[in-house]
């Protein structure tokens, strides 16, 4: 049976779309919080102190049914964080533009990056029953949204190597040019300083750089990742084949901060006199960890550049407006990679963007690796489809082509595309990256409403909201403790705890009353059964001081065979040790209801029989049994 708190979290409206909701009245700002008068450091200390003293002081929850209600928790939350009230515009956007989240009661805590479009852009406008929310129609439709129709644009693979694409570009649709300009404007990247290509995904972007970078003459690759990354593994494999010496930063237990002295030794040249213009290699730096939420000092970029390194910035885990705080006017990396998905709460497919500083392009080598993609309008995609006899009958029976609009069904056309050998269309297993757009503008231009919404909110609003809810979640999870034990905690959080400038992501594990870890895959699957989307990953490159050696033996584990097979790391024993973890990431649309629902779900593990009950329940319902590894 579902926890009463979790059931309440599934029913209460916090989106601002229910006029009678008690959360709506308390969520609008009644009085603006006082302006800060103290220093930045003092503000950070005050925030941490306020969080610790305001939420559950001197209380430990040992029973999932003893949790305070959603209403009580939110009232306490808004009292401690009055600035959260000033972010109510986010709730309005969520209610009007992403109402599918309410229909499905889906809590999305597995997203990183930025969405290009809003869900309402994908819906029909003809039927009043499905009229989308807008400023003149603020209430979401009463019926579930219809099945989406077919695509606004398609993603195709481009011929030619990365260097040629960066220097000469090649043919591009007006649609592609429009999206390119919109993204560069959104990220505040200058077209006079950088060239940009679209790639199939983040991994493709990293691999393209590795295949094109002159590792034979600039022979080192240094990265700063506290977690296992498929993209970094692909880059490592490619660079090692070219003779690169691969090294990584390490992270000090237990806070997982960068081991500064070791990273400095990797970056700083030991030669007193450095050869002019001599580059030492490639330094790959994420601005923060997408798993633990740890933010890293920007000074590492300066140290690397001053010591002759090319610098690649991984911005894929940044918040929607974090690039504005990065300061490209002060520091210009040689490479910048970011990713965009289509719609929050839907299939997270999309593409990545690789920016290369124009003055750096000349050092790249030619390569045969594919991965650069182009965007084509729907008309071209359908021209390729309808010219095939296999697809022609479907087109004539199930829909029609109209100027600026397509009504052919996605599922039917996608089925007919399988097996067709068309160089214009991307490979079926990669997926036809498609978007329906009813508000099509002329000459291939389109409205990226997701980016527009983020721009309208701004950095301060988005950052303030994320700071409040992620720190409440950290505090709430740490307050869960097994009953009848000597203070055995239910949850262990890795990386930063309550912290003013932590990122909107958290890595944690759940433990039973005996102190044994519950496998992250199992936690993720059970969360999915409760309509909560989480992820799991593998922390590594962890450094333990001598005083933590005993703890090291308890927490470190060998990566399982399934992960080895995926990343092709069999035989790399030095990277096999780490910690498998559950991860949650908060997008800019996340709200208090989302994190309360996660808290209520995790609290169910306080019941020693919870896992067994769930396994029995789904077996009785003739569903797939969840196995404990």
């Amino acid at each position: 049976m579902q926890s009463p708190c979790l059931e309440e979290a599934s029913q209460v409206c916090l989106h601002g779309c229910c006029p009678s909701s008690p959360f709506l009245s308390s969520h609008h700002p009644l009085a603006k919080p006082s302006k800060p008068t103290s220093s930045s450091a003092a503000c950070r200390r005050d925030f941490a102190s306020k969080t610790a003293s305001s939420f559950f002081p001197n209380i430990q929850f040992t029973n999932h049914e003893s949790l305070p209600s959603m209403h009580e928790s939110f009232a306490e939350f808004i009292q401690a964080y009055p600035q959260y009230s000033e972010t109510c515009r986010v709730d309005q956007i969520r209610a009007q533009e992403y109402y599918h989240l309410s229909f499905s009661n889906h809590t999305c805590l597995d997203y990183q990056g930025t969405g290009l479009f809003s869900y309402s852009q994908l819906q029909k406008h003809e039927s009043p029953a499905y009229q989308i929310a807008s400023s003149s129609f603020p209430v979401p439709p009463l019926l579930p949204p219809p099945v989406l129709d077919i695509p606004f644009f398609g993603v195709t693979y481009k011929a030619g190597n990365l260097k040629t694409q960066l220097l000469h570009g090649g043919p591009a649709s007006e649609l592609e040019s429009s999206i390119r300009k919109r993204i560069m404007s959104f990220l505040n990247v200058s077209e006079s300083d950088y060239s940009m290509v679209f790639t199939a995904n983040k991994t493709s972007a990293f691999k393209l750089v590795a295949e094109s970078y002159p590792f034979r003459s600039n022979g080192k690759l240094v990265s700063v990742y506290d977690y296992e990354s498929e993209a970094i593994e692909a880059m490592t494999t490619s660079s090692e084949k070219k003779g690169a010496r691969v090294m990584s930063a390490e992270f000090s237990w237990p806070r997982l901060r960068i081991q500064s002295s070791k990273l400095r030794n990797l970056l700083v040249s030991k030669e007193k006199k450095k050869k002019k213009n001599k580059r030492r290699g490639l330094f790959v730096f994420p601005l923060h960890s997408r798993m633990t939420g740890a933010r890293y000092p920007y000074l590492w970029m300066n140290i690397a550049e001053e010591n002759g390194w090319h610098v690649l910035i991984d911005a894929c885990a940044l918040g929607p407006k974090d690039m504005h705080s990065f300061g490209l006017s002060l520091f210009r990396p040689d490479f910048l990679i970011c990713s965009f998905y289509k719609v929050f709460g839907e299939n997270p497919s999309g593409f990545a963007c690789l920016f290369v500083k124009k003055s750096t392009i000349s050092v790249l080598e030619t390569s045969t690796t594919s991965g650069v993609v182009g965007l084509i309008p729907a008309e071209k995609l359908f021209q390729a489809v309808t010219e095939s006899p296999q697809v022609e009958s479907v087109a004539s029976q199930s829909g029609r082509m109209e100027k600026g609009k397509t009504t052919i069904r996605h599922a039917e056309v996608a089925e007919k595309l399988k097996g067709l050998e068309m160089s214009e269309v991307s490979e079926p297993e990669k997926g036809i990256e498609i978007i329906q757009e009813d508000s099509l503008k002329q000459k291939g231009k389109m409205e990226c409403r997701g980016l527009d919404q983020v721009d309208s909110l701004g950095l301060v609003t988005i950052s303030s909201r994320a700071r409040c809810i992620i720190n409440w979640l950290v505090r709430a999870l740490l307050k869960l403790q097994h009953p009848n034990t000597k203070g055995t905690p239910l949850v262990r959080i890795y990386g930063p705890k309550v912290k003013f400038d932590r990122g909107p992501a958290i890595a944690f594990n759940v433990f039973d009353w005996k102190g044994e870890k519950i496998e992250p895959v199992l936690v993720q699957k059970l969360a999915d059964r409760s309509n909560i989307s989480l992820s799991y990953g593998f922390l590594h490159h962890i450094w333990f001081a001598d005083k933590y050696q005993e703890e090291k033996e308890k927490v470190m584990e060998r990566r399982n065979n399934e992960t080895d097979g995926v990343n092709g790391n069999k035989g790399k024993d030095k990277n096999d040790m780490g910690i498998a973890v559950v991860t949650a990431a908060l997008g800019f649309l996340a709200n208090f209801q989302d994190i309360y629902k996660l808290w209520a779900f995790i609290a169910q593990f306080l019941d020693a029989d919870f896992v067994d009950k769930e396994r029995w329940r789904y077996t009785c319902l003739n569903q797939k049994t969840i196995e404990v590894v």
Side-chain angles (χ1 to χ4, degrees):
M1 181 175 291
Q2 192 177 58
S3 163
C5 294
L6 187 57
E7 185 175 357
E8 180 198 18
S10 301
Q11 295 174 352
V12 172
C13 173
L14 280 176
H15 305 304
C17 56
C18 305
S20 61
S21 170
F23 295 95
L24 182 61
S25 59
S26 64
H27 195 48
H28 283 287
L30 299 177
K32 293 184 177 180
S34 58
K35 295 182 179 179
T37 56
S38 55
S39 67
S40 175
C43 284
R44 284 162 166 73
R45 288 194 300 270
D46 290 345
F47 178 87
S49 176
K50 180 93 172 181
T51 301
S53 62
S54 299
F55 303 127
F56 323 123
N58 305 316
I59 298 176
Q60 297 291 336
F61 298 102
T62 59
N63 188 316
H64 65 89
E65 295 183 349
S66 68
L67 300 186
S69 69
M70 170 86 78
H71 290 76
E72 293 171 331
S73 299
F74 187 73
E76 188 178 62
F77 173 83
I78 212 69
Q79 183 177 3
Y81 297 143
Q83 65 270 31
Y84 185 84
S85 296
E86 297 185 343
T87 71
C88 59
R89 174 60 184 152
V90 179
D91 295 302
Q92 295 170 1
I93 291 174
R94 175 168 169 154
Q96 296 170 7
E97 299 282 337
Y98 302 87
Y99 46 84
H100 63 301
L101 299 175
S102 297
F103 282 126
S104 63
N105 190 29
H106 191 192
T107 299
C108 301
L109 299 175
D110 59 343
Y111 275 81
Q112 293 282 354
T114 305
L116 292 171
F117 314 102
S118 73
Y119 183 81
S120 64
Q121 285 183 275
L122 308 182
Q123 303 307 305
K124 295 180 179 178
H125 293 256
E126 294 91 341
S127 172
Y130 299 120
Q131 183 178 5
I132 64 168
S134 65
S135 58
S136 60
F137 188 79
V139 181
L142 300 177
L143 297 177
V147 177
L148 304 184
D149 282 338
I150 273 270
F152 175 51
F153 68 79
V155 174
T156 68
Y157 283 88
K158 287 188 174 182
N161 61 70
L162 174 62
K163 187 172 185 178
T164 300
Q165 291 288 342
L166 290 169
L167 287 173
H168 308 294
S173 66
E174 292 185 39
L175 178 72
E176 180 179 329
S177 299
S178 175
I179 294 178
R180 185 193 310 275
K181 289 181 180 179
R182 181 66 185 95
I183 288 177
M184 294 191 81
S185 171
F186 177 77
L187 295 175
N188 200 27
V189 177
S190 170
E191 293 186 57
S192 61
D193 295 326
Y194 286 88
S195 293
M196 178 194 128
V197 295
F198 294 105
T199 66
N201 48 46
K202 174 183 175 180
T203 300
S204 294
F206 275 80
K207 189 173 182 180
L208 279 169
V209 174
E211 293 287 348
S212 304
Y213 190 78
F215 281 113
R216 291 180 178 84
S217 56
N218 304 325
K220 296 179 181 179
L221 172 65
V222 174
S223 61
V224 186
Y225 287 81
D226 61 2
Y227 62 91
E228 188 177 75
S229 166
E230 182 180 351
I232 288 297
E233 292 297 328
M235 170 173 268
T236 296
T237 300
S238 296
S239 60
E240 285 181 331
K241 288 179 179 178
K242 298 181 69 175
R245 181 185 174 193
V246 177
M247 299 169 286
S248 175
E250 293 185 341
F251 303 84
S252 300
W253 180 265
R255 291 302 182 98
L256 299 187
R257 294 170 176 163
I258 292 176
Q259 244 282 316
S260 299
S261 59
K262 291 191 175 183
L263 182 56
R264 184 177 293 273
N265 287 337
L266 293 179
L267 294 178
V268 176
S269 175
K270 296 180 181 179
E271 300 176 8
K272 293 183 178 180
K273 294 182 179 180
K274 294 179 291 186
K275 294 181 180 180
K276 190 175 182 180
N277 298 326
K278 173 66 176 177
R279 291 290 181 172
R280 303 184 63 208
L282 183 63
F283 177 58
V284 183
F285 186 70
L287 299 178
H288 78 248
S289 169
R290 75 169 185 85
M291 283 196 182
T292 66
R295 293 188 184 275
Y296 304 134
Y298 290 0
L299 64 88
W300 291 113
M301 298 181 291
N302 293 321
I303 292 174
E305 187 179 50
E306 290 171 0
N307 284 272
W309 294 81
H310 284 111
V311 177
L312 185 156
I313 297 301
D314 178 0
C316 294
L318 289 185
K321 294 297 290 181
D322 282 356
M323 279 298 294
H324 283 241
S325 65
F326 173 60
L328 279 174
S329 59
L330 299 176
F331 183 85
R332 293 184 174 88
D334 299 281
F335 307 92
L336 176 70
I337 295 175
C338 61
S339 58
F340 293 87
Y341 55 83
K342 293 187 289 188
V343 179
F344 181 80
E346 288 293 291
N347 187 330
S349 60
F351 50 74
C353 300
L354 168 59
F355 299 87
V356 181
K357 190 162 62 175
K358 291 186 175 179
S359 59
T360 304
I361 297 176
S362 60
V363 307
L364 298 180
E365 300 172 344
T366 58
S367 69
T368 58
T369 302
S370 62
V372 177
V373 300
L375 310 182
I376 60 172
E379 306 89 78
K380 280 193 175 183
L381 178 65
F382 278 96
Q383 182 180 1
V385 172
T386 55
E387 284 176 355
S388 169
Q390 293 176 280
V391 180
E392 188 173 352
S393 60
V394 176
S396 61
Q397 292 174 20
S398 64
R400 63 189 184 279
M401 298 290 294
E402 295 180 1
K403 185 176 181 180
K405 186 174 179 180
T406 306
T407 59
I408 301 178
R409 294 290 179 187
H410 177 190
E412 293 169 331
V413 173
E415 182 65 26
K416 291 296 179 180
L417 287 175
K418 289 181 180 178
L420 294 181
E421 297 181 356
M422 296 182 296
S423 59
E424 277 192 42
V425 183
S426 60
E427 299 146 355
E429 63 269 22
K430 299 272 186 191
I432 305 297
E433 305 297 329
I434 52 183
I435 285 294
Q436 168 72 26
E437 174 58 54
D438 286 330
S439 56
L440 178 61
K441 296 183 178 180
Q442 304 225 341
K443 295 184 180 179
K445 294 183 180 179
M446 71 176 222
E447 178 186 17
C448 294
R449 198 180 297 176
L451 303 187
D452 295 341
Q453 291 159 356
V454 169
D455 279 338
S456 70
L457 292 170
L459 175 64
V460 174
T461 296
I462 293 173
S463 299
S464 176
R465 183 182 181 91
R467 180 179 302 118
C468 293
I469 57 179
I470 191 64
N471 280 286
W472 184 92
L473 177 61
V474 169
R475 180 69 174 172
L477 289 174
L478 293 176
K479 284 294 180 175
L480 301 176
Q481 180 177 298
H482 282 288
N484 305 318
T485 63
K486 297 180 180 180
T488 302
L490 176 69
V491 173
R492 179 162 199 169
I493 294 174
Y494 305 92
K497 307 296 189 296
V498 172
K499 193 174 183 181
F500 180 87
D501 57 354
R502 64 163 297 136
I506 181 173
F508 65 97
N509 273 317
V510 180
F511 294 82
D512 64 19
W513 65 274
K514 295 179 290 186
E516 296 180 359
K517 185 171 77 173
I518 300 173
E519 287 300 319
V521 175
L522 175 62
V523 176
Q524 188 262 349
K525 287 181 178 179
L526 290 175
D528 191 58
R529 298 287 191 182
S530 295
N531 235 8
I532 301 172
S533 294
L534 299 174
S535 299
Y536 57 90
F538 193 76
L539 299 177
H540 64 171
H541 299 313
I542 303 173
W543 179 83
F544 290 81
D546 290 341
K547 63 180 178 179
Y548 293 118
Q549 287 304 309
E550 184 176 345
E551 192 170 3
K552 176 181 179 180
E553 299 299 322
K554 295 179 181 179
V555 301
M556 294 291 277
E557 60 194 284
R558 189 168 297 280
R559 182 173 44 198
N560 61 44
N561 292 330
E562 181 182 355
T563 307
D564 284 337
V566 171
N567 291 318
N569 271 334
K570 294 181 179 179
K572 291 190 177 181
D573 293 334
K574 63 180 181 180
N575 291 328
D576 279 350
M577 300 301 293
I579 306 172
V581 294
V582 183
T583 65
L586 308 182
F588 84 98
L589 291 170
N591 61 17
F592 183 81
Q593 182 180 5
D594 292 333
I595 58 171
Y596 182 91
K597 187 176 176 182
L598 174 60
W599 186 45
F601 163 73
I602 295 296
Q604 292 181 102
F605 287 90
L606 290 170
D607 180 352
D609 298 324
F610 171 64
V611 173
D612 290 335
K613 289 176 182 177
E614 289 297 295
R615 184 191 296 110
W616 176 85
R617 184 159 72 94
Y618 288 109
T619 301
C620 289
L621 292 174
N622 199 28
Q623 299 190 28
K624 183 179 180 180
T625 302
I626 300 176
E627 297 292 344
V628 180
V629 180

